[in-house]
């Protein structure tokens, strides 16, 4: 009685911290009769978003399929908030989850992950909130990641007002977004991070000229205002007048205009290439307001005019590699400062592919106040509009392959990799030619400086072999790059770095096996040995006489070669027809010479595969203490040793199976194909019981740790 009371008490304590719930949405589901379970899912994402019981930490998992519609009601309106550390997550379970996007208004701690988003190009959708792929208003601490947004009337992602703070826009692909930019931050959003996004083919007028109530002259990559925002590692490219709807766009990579109070902005490690625009382009352009502390660092910018500051008060332009001009159009200045003050321009490389003495690497107009310039290198372009700086140089920086837009991407054709064509050669005069500007890494994350001083441009020269990529799924034993960062320990998983082992469910088993008749057979101390027999095309070994003393039984030594260290179980294909013919002694690498090593094989007619258990110290013929018995094995030859016990226990095949330490089985004790509260009750009522079927952690006792194992693995089986 006390034992059961204690178990129920522990269950109630655990219940309050039981793991969050995953709800399911499928195209085969039903919003009326469904309950959000895997077996009975809902049809629409909105039903999950509006579900009364949806709580912080929960997930709406959406299966691949088409969830779009023609009415604006098909856009998902988020109606609940998560909390810090417990966001409400909307996630695709695979590629091809097609939606009309999301509206997050006044909500916080929401994750939108992995959706394909588009909006109908009709007048009903021609507005900021419906026309955008994902629209935020007064939304805080949300994360939008890994989405593919295309063909929208309004911007792909739209942060609309000053209430939008602390949001993360990560690793989205945005193309053919309408009405002036792929991503827009407007009316004062603050402290947001825009990182790792791929933005291309922005459209000035979707379905020109009938749509786009937000019509203007722009087709930009990113347009922003506000304070404390970070723009890092974005790839902005291929915005072109060749796309339908781009009539005469003004094209900028990252632009800010006309909002007083924009300040403390970091624009770093972006790659902006707009050479195919077919019109005048700028890389980073801030204009028409009193801006403060605008910082442009470690970027690669290939456009007609890479950087243009207008009315900026204080800012830094450090370690950028700039390629002004467009061979098919015209050239312009590399860095242009107009009506600005307190600007620092250092450690940049400005490289023209063709000679252009009509333009300057640094154009100054009413911007000399507080100006700090030096340690820049310019090539095939003039210096400064007036005067010169003694620490500036004008020489070929000797990039690896700067000839064309294609060549600067390197042989892999993608930016941000060690084979980029703007990496410095070992003979480059830009190496060790910079000054300390407190920029600690380069565009690839390489530490600065590598030598006696800073290098110029976006890339710090590495005199050693670049750090290799980590092998996915393997333990890290030496420095390698995982998900863009360097680590010397831990694990590199498919989803990124983890300090503990990657969770892979189910594990891919490493199986080694041997036929029992191929094992080395010998007799015990009394001369009893295993015999071999064949029946119905199955060969097996057995001993006729029962031997309760392991010294007396026949012995089978089975050699197996383990190539990968880890935790293993022994699986045996055996025929144990009754309770007088269903036990053996079994061990690995040492004699099975103890009653604790008895395995009572499940009784079955015919040969069946079973994992070997041990009775252990506390077990008996009715239950085993170790279910299954596991063995930590290194990569080497190992011996599975079987000693006969009960007569006519037939052994056909022996296998070693590598298992994952992550719980990968379905902990469904009640048979309803769900791991849920009823399984928690089942385990709780067996706390400290000799019934070890609920000993999930295989530590020889049913305890609080088994409750935790169940509560953290709620799922459908």
């Amino acid at each position: 009685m006390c034992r059961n009371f204690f178990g129920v008490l522990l269950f109630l304590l655990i219940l309050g911290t039981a793991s969050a719930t995953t709800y399911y949405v499928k195209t085969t589901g039903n919003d009326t009769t469904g309950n959000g379970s895997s077996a009975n899912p809902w049809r629409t994402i909105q039903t999950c978003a509006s579900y009364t019981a949806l709580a912080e930490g929960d997930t709406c998992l959406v299966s691949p399929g088409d969830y779009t519609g023609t009415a604006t009601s098909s856009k998902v309106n988020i109606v609940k908030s998560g909390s810090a550390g417990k966001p409400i997550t909307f996630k695709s379970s695979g590629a091809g989850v097609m939606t009309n996007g999301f509206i997050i208004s006044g909500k916080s701690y929401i994750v939108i992950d992995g959706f394909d988003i588009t909006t109908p190009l009709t007048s009903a959708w021609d507005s900021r909130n419906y026309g955008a792929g994902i629209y935020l208003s007064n939304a805080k601490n949300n994360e939008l990641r890994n989405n593919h947004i295309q063909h929208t009337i309004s911007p792909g992602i739209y942060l609309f007002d000053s209430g939008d703070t602390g949001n993360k826009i990560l690793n989205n692909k945005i193309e053919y977004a309408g009405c002036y930019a792929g991503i827009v931050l407007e009316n004062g959003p603050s402290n947001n991070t825009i990182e790792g996004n791929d933005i291309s083919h922005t459209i000035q007028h979707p379905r020109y000229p009938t749509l786009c109530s937000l019509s203007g002259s722009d087709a930009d990559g990113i347009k922003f205002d506000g304070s404390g925002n970070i723009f890092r590692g974005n790839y902005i490219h291929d915005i072109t007048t060749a796309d339908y709807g781009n009539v005469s766009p003004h094209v900028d990579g990252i632009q800010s205009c006309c909002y007083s109070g924009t300040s403390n902005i970091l624009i770093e490690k972006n790659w902006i290439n707009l050479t195919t625009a077919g019109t005048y382009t700028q890389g980073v352009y801030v204009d028409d307001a009193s801006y403060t502390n605008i910082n442009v660092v470690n970027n690669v910018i290939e456009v007609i005019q890479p950087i243009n500051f207008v009315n900026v008060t204080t800012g830094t332009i450090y370690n950028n590699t700039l390629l002004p001009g467009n061979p098919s159009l015209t050239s312009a200045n590399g860095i242009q400062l107009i009506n600005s003050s307190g600007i620092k321009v250092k450690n940049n490389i400005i490289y023209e592919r063709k000679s252009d003495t009509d333009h300057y690497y640094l154009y100054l107009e009413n911007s000399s106040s507080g100006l700090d310039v030096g340690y820049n290198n310019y090539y095939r372009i003039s210096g400064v509009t007036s005067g010169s700086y003694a620490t500036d140089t004008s020489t070929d920086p000797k990039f690896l392959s700067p000839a064309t837009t294609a060549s600067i991407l390197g042989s892999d054709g993608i930016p941000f990799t060690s084979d980029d064509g703007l990496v410095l050669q070992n003979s480059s005069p830009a190496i060790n030619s910079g000054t300390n500007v407190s920029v600690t890494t380069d565009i690839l994350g390489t530490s600065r400086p590598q030598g006696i001083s800073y290098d110029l441009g976006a890339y710090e020269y590495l005199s050693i072999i670049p750090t290799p990529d980590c092998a996915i799924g393997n333990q890290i034993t030496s420095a390698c790059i995982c998900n863009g960062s360097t680590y010397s320990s831990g694990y590199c998983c498919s989803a990124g770095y983890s300090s503990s082992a990657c969770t892979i469910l189910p594990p891919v088993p490493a199986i080694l096996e041997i036929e029992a008749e191929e094992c080395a057979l010998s007799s015990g101390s009394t001369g009893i040995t295993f015999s071999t027999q064949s029946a119905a095309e199955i060969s097996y070994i057995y001993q006729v006489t029962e031997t309760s003393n392991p010294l007396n039984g026949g012995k089978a030594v089975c050699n197996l070669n383990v190539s990968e260290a880890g935790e293993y179980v022994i699986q045996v294909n055996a025929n144990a027809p009754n309770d007088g013919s269903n036990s053996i002694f079994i061990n690995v690498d040492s004699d099975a010479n103890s009653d604790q090593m008895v395995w009572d094989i499940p009784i079955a007619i015919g040969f069946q595969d079973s994992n070997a258990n041990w009775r252990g110290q506390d077990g008996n013929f009715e239950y085993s203490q170790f279910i299954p018995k596991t063995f930590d094995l290194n990569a080497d030859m190992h011996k599975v040793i079987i000693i006969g016990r009960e007569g006519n226990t037939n052994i056909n095949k022996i296998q070693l199976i590598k298992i994952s330490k992550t719980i990968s089985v379905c902990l469904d004790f009640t048979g309803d194909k769900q791991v849920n509260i009823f399984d928690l009750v089942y385990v709780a009522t067996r706390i400290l019981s000799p019934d070890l079927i609920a000993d999930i952690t295989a530590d020889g006792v049913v305890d609080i740790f088994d409750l935790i194992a169940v509560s953290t693995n709620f799922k459908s089986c």
Side-chain angles (χ1 to χ4, degrees):
M1 178 68 180
C2 291
R3 179 183 298 152
N4 285 341
F5 173 79
F6 178 62
V8 173
L9 178 61
L10 284 176
F11 157 68
L12 293 174
L13 291 173
I14 286 292
L15 185 59
T17 57
S19 59
T21 302
T22 296
Y23 298 101
Y24 296 85
V25 179
K26 298 181 181 180
T27 54
T28 56
N30 189 298
D31 289 340
T32 302
T33 61
N35 60 11
S37 67
S38 177
N40 194 12
W42 291 309
R43 172 62 180 85
T44 63
I45 305 170
Q46 185 64 61
T47 300
C48 190
S50 302
Y51 183 50
T52 304
L54 185 69
E56 56 186 29
D58 288 351
T59 296
C60 292
L61 189 64
V62 186
S63 294
D66 189 349
Y67 300 88
T68 63
T70 58
T72 56
S73 58
S74 64
K75 197 174 198 74
V76 179
N77 187 23
I78 304 301
V79 298
K80 293 189 174 186
S81 292
S83 64
K86 296 181 179 180
I88 295 176
T89 299
F90 295 82
K91 181 178 176 59
S92 68
S93 66
V97 180
M98 301 171 61
T99 77
N100 291 137
F102 298 81
I103 295 175
I104 306 176
S105 181
K107 301 299 180 289
S108 303
Y109 296 103
I110 301 297
V111 175
I112 308 294
D113 186 358
F115 292 90
D116 288 292
I117 297 173
T118 187
T119 62
L121 300 181
T122 62
S123 58
W125 292 78
D126 187 11
S127 64
R128 287 179 171 87
N129 54 354
Y130 290 119
I134 304 177
Y135 175 84
L136 278 67
S137 176
N138 193 29
K140 298 174 175 61
N141 302 307
N142 302 289
E143 188 168 321
L144 318 178
R145 65 193 185 206
N146 307 318
N147 301 289
H148 183 194
I149 304 172
Q150 59 180 322
H151 296 290
T152 56
I153 292 181
S154 297
I157 296 176
Y158 203 142
L159 280 65
F160 179 65
D161 53 42
S162 60
D164 294 321
T165 64
N167 299 290
K168 295 181 179 180
I169 316 299
L170 309 175
N171 304 318
N172 301 282
K173 183 175 183 179
I174 302 172
E175 53 186 345
Y176 300 100
C179 291
Y180 62 73
I183 297 176
V184 170
L185 288 73
E186 191 172 68
N187 302 316
S190 61
N191 302 314
N192 301 285
T193 299
I194 317 300
E195 183 171 354
N197 301 283
D198 184 322
I199 304 172
S200 65
H201 298 285
T202 305
I203 302 299
Q204 179 187 13
H205 298 288
R207 294 292 182 267
Y208 175 82
T210 57
L211 290 180
C212 191
S213 62
L214 310 180
S215 62
S217 60
D218 287 11
D220 299 333
I222 297 172
K223 187 171 183 179
F224 76 92
D225 56 45
S227 63
N229 298 305
I230 297 173
F231 304 90
R232 176 187 295 126
N234 301 287
Y235 180 32
I236 301 171
H237 60 104
D238 294 304
I239 300 174
T240 171
T241 54
D243 289 330
Y244 184 81
N246 280 340
V247 183
S248 56
H250 179 275
V251 177
D252 300 311
I254 300 176
Q255 186 218 82
S256 184
C257 176
C258 319
Y259 186 84
S260 180
T262 295
S263 62
N264 302 321
I265 301 298
L266 178 59
I267 300 171
E268 69 166 354
K269 301 182 181 180
N270 301 282
W271 186 298
I272 302 173
N273 181 283
L274 299 173
T275 57
T276 62
T279 186
Y280 189 84
T281 58
Q282 298 180 101
V284 175
Y285 175 39
V286 292
D287 189 5
D288 288 349
S290 180
Y291 285 52
T292 60
N293 197 26
I294 309 299
N295 303 286
V296 182
V297 181
N298 275 333
N299 300 280
V300 168
I301 305 177
E302 185 181 18
V303 299
I304 291 178
Q305 181 166 288
I307 298 176
N308 188 9
F309 280 11
V310 182
N311 297 319
V312 176
T313 302
T314 68
T316 60
I317 302 173
Y318 290 158
N319 280 103
N320 300 283
T321 297
L322 309 177
L323 287 78
N326 184 327
S328 64
L329 289 174
T330 185
S331 298
N333 304 305
I335 300 170
Q336 184 167 284
L337 307 179
I338 299 175
N339 299 327
S340 297
S341 61
I343 309 301
K344 299 177 181 181
V345 183
K346 295 185 177 182
N347 292 0
N348 301 285
I349 296 177
I350 300 89
Y351 180 93
E352 263 276 18
R353 288 204 179 96
K354 62 181 181 180
S355 181
D356 177 24
T357 57
D358 296 330
H359 293 92
Y360 302 90
Y361 98 77
L362 178 59
Y363 177 90
L364 300 173
E365 182 179 315
N366 192 29
S367 298
S368 60
S369 176
L371 184 67
D372 186 2
V373 178
Y375 302 93
N376 301 289
N377 182 80
Y378 56 98
Y379 184 60
R380 297 198 188 112
I381 192 170
S382 294
V384 186
T385 48
S386 61
S388 62
Y389 298 90
T391 55
D392 283 353
T393 55
S394 181
T395 184
D396 185 351
K398 293 188 178 180
F399 297 126
L400 283 181
S401 53
T404 65
T405 297
S407 70
I408 67 174
L409 291 173
S411 59
D412 60 8
I414 58 176
F416 308 116
T417 58
S418 58
D419 77 338
D420 290 347
L422 298 176
V423 170
L424 302 174
Q425 299 181 41
N426 59 10
S427 59
S428 171
I431 297 173
N432 295 328
S433 295
T435 186
N436 186 346
V437 291
S438 299
V439 176
T440 58
T441 59
D442 74 352
I443 192 171
L444 299 181
T446 303
S447 297
R448 292 187 188 270
Q450 288 289 311
I452 60 174
S453 186
Y454 277 57
D455 297 346
L456 306 184
Y459 296 85
E460 186 80 4
Y461 176 71
L462 272 173
S463 59
I464 59 175
I465 298 173
T467 303
D469 291 334
C470 303
I472 299 298
N474 287 359
Q475 186 172 7
I476 298 170
T477 57
S478 59
C480 58
I481 297 174
C482 178
N483 200 31
S485 298
T486 301
Y487 301 92
S488 297
S489 62
Y491 291 79
C492 190
C493 309
S494 58
Y497 175 77
S498 174
S499 59
S500 58
C502 305
T503 299
I504 305 174
L505 303 177
V508 178
I511 301 177
L512 308 93
E513 64 180 60
I514 186 172
E515 298 292 330
E517 64 179 358
E518 297 174 2
C519 300
L521 306 179
S522 62
S523 61
S525 61
T526 60
I528 297 173
T529 187
F530 279 110
S531 301
T532 60
Q533 180 71 41
S534 297
E537 300 183 352
I538 295 179
S539 297
Y540 56 91
I541 64 172
Y542 68 101
Q543 72 175 36
V544 177
T545 306
E546 180 175 339
T547 52
S548 58
N549 187 336
L551 298 178
N552 298 335
K555 180 188 290 187
V557 179
C558 309
N559 294 311
L560 295 170
N561 185 19
V562 172
S563 60
E564 183 179 358
E567 191 171 15
Y568 286 78
V569 297
I570 308 170
Q571 186 177 95
V572 178
N573 184 258
N575 177 18
N578 56 65
D579 60 6
S581 300
N582 74 319
S583 68
I584 58 175
F585 299 91
I586 192 166
N587 198 8
V588 174
D589 292 336
S590 298
D591 277 346
N593 56 9
S594 167
D595 287 340
Q596 295 185 30
M597 301 175 186
V598 172
W599 175 29
D600 296 286
I601 304 171
I603 297 172
I605 302 300
F607 286 90
Q608 305 286 336
D609 286 331
S610 302
N611 292 335
N613 305 328
W614 270 9
R615 284 186 183 180
Q617 183 175 355
D618 300 322
N620 54 40
F621 70 94
E622 293 183 329
Y623 72 91
S624 297
Q625 181 176 346
F626 300 100
I627 307 175
K629 171 58 182 171
T630 61
F631 300 86
D632 287 317
L633 304 179
N634 58 5
D636 203 346
M637 288 294 298
H638 292 277
K639 302 177 185 296
V640 175
I641 299 174
I642 298 173
I643 294 178
R645 187 173 185 273
E646 291 185 317
N648 297 309
T649 302
N650 303 323
I651 308 298
N652 168 40
K653 184 185 300 181
I654 300 94
Q655 301 179 350
L656 282 177
I657 300 180
K658 188 175 185 292
I659 63 173
S660 168
K661 291 186 178 180
T662 300
I663 295 173
S664 58
V665 298
C666 186
L667 305 175
D668 174 23
F669 294 98
T670 58
D672 59 357
K673 297 184 179 181
Q674 298 277 331
V675 182
N676 52 32
I677 190 172
F678 301 108
D679 302 290
L680 204 59
V681 172
Y682 182 93
V683 175
T685 56
R686 284 160 176 79
I687 293 289
L688 303 181
S689 165
D691 180 3
L692 295 182
I693 192 172
D695 180 19
I696 300 160
T697 57
D699 59 359
V701 62
V702 181
D703 54 17
I704 187 71
F705 299 105
D706 301 296
L707 283 172
I708 293 172
V710 174
S711 67
T712 56
N713 282 275
F714 279 15
K715 62 182 179 180
S716 297
C717 299

